[in-house]
Amino acid sequence: MNLKSFLLTVATVFTVSSVFAQANILNAKSPEQIGVRTEAQKAVDNDKPLEYGYVDDRDVLYAKMVWEKVVLDERSNFPLYYPIDTNNIGKNRRSLYDVLMKSVKDGEIENIYDDSYFTTKRTLKDIEASLVKIDTTELGIEQLNAGEELSAEYIDRRDITAADVKAYHVKGLWYFDKRQAEMKYRLLGIAPVAEDVNFIDTENADLVELFWVFFPDAREVLHEAKSFNNENSSIPFSFDHILNSRRFHGYIYKEENVQGDRKISEYVSENALMQLLESERIKDKIRDFELDMWTY
């Protein structure tokens, strides 16, 4: 390595560290100043999501749309799940679900959808029924039957929290770029998956998609939100980086097909092992296309 390359590497390391380290922690005079960057720092950092390059439709030689399930109890997916208890932790550390929900409530993510085809938009009020369950206790029902006003203590409210999210459904496109002669992946949508709030904490609760977010629309928000880096806490990863670079483990549960994009579970039923093998077969089929391009 020559001197020029060495200096460039050192400069890059220090620049990245200054961008992603917990801002102002060594210079803060009070806890409120921790994590707050000055306008001058923001201007120097110029910290924005890495823009996607333009891909002409004529350059796409092959494409396959797939849907994956990212199960959050797998260790490799912990950065998307934790922290779930935010009462005793800094405000700059949140789970992916908390980031998405806060952004939807604040209007930073303007559009949410009811399915992965992004055809029907929903509002926060529309999806409230799948996020909150409000029930009345037996004492409350007796109070109502007696013609009395219902007391707040007899109302049970159950909200879906980050701890209740069991998985994420991820939609993405694998495509072969003939200009660069390589297989690439573009993430298009993501949906948190949790137990049906109406049957939550019971044995009969099914997993449902709460809402879908068009990923390119949420990149700014996900870039600002940082996930914990267990190897080096001074350089946390943004959620945008984790998802774009596929730093998660998921398995394919559906691919686009002539049968209306049917799920694997619809034609390989009640056999988890065979479903997993079918998922691997689809993955190998996509990977083999790139390998076959170099077979003469």
Side-chain angles (χ1 to χ4, degrees), residues 18 38 63 72 78 86 90 96 98 110 130 142 163 224 232 236 238 268:
S18 65
T38 65
L72 294 181
F78 281 179
T86 57
L96 177 57
D98 282 335
E110 297 181 358
S130 62
E142 293 178 2
E224 291 296 327
N232 186 355
S238 71
V268 183

Side-chain angles (χ1 to χ4, degrees), residues 177-206:
D177 189 332
K178 67 180 182 181
R179 281 187 177 270
Q180 300 188 23
E182 63 177 328
M183 187 71 76
K184 295 183 177 180
Y185 178 78
R186 180 68 60 85
L187 199 153
L188 298 176
I190 185 169
V193 178
E195 292 181 346
D196 188 337
V197 72
N198 297 305
F199 304 97
I200 198 167
D201 303 324
T202 66
E203 295 182 357
N204 299 322
D206 294 325

Side-chain angles (χ1 to χ4, degrees), residues 102-117:
K102 182 179 184 300
S103 301
V104 170
K105 292 177 180 179
D106 294 345
E108 295 177 324
I109 296 178
E110 297 181 358
N111 301 316
I112 54 177
Y113 302 85
D114 64 345
D115 60 24
S116 61
Y117 296 98

Side-chain angles (χ1 to χ4, degrees), residues 13-26 34-37 41 45 47 92 224 226 232-237:
V13 170
F14 279 101
T15 300
V16 171
S17 298
S18 65
V19 170
F20 292 110
Q22 192 170 8
N24 211 35
I25 189 170
L26 299 178
I34 297 176
V36 179
R37 292 186 298 168
Q41 286 177 317
D45 292 344
D47 189 16
N92 61 313
E224 291 296 327
K226 309 300 180 184
N232 186 355
S233 61
S234 71
I235 310 178
F237 297 116

Side-chain angles (χ1 to χ4, degrees), residues 64 67 117 254-264 266-268 278 281-282 285:
K64 173 64 73 173
W67 287 257
Y117 296 98
K254 182 169 73 168
E255 65 166 334
E256 58 178 356
N257 51 55
V258 70
Q259 291 91 358
D261 299 346
R262 63 176 179 173
K263 299 179 180 179
I264 292 176
E266 294 178 7
Y267 62 92
V268 183
E278 174 66 7
R281 184 194 68 82
I282 296 172
K285 180 176 64 175

Side-chain angles (χ1 to χ4, degrees), residues 146-174:
E148 302 175 4
E149 184 178 352
L150 181 62
S151 301
E153 60 184 310
Y154 299 138
I155 300 176
D156 284 338
R157 179 186 175 97
R158 179 67 162 87
D159 292 86
I160 295 291
T161 65
D164 299 314
V165 178
K166 305 299 183 183
Y168 284 95
H169 284 176
V170 174
K171 177 184 179 182
L173 181 71
W174 286 100

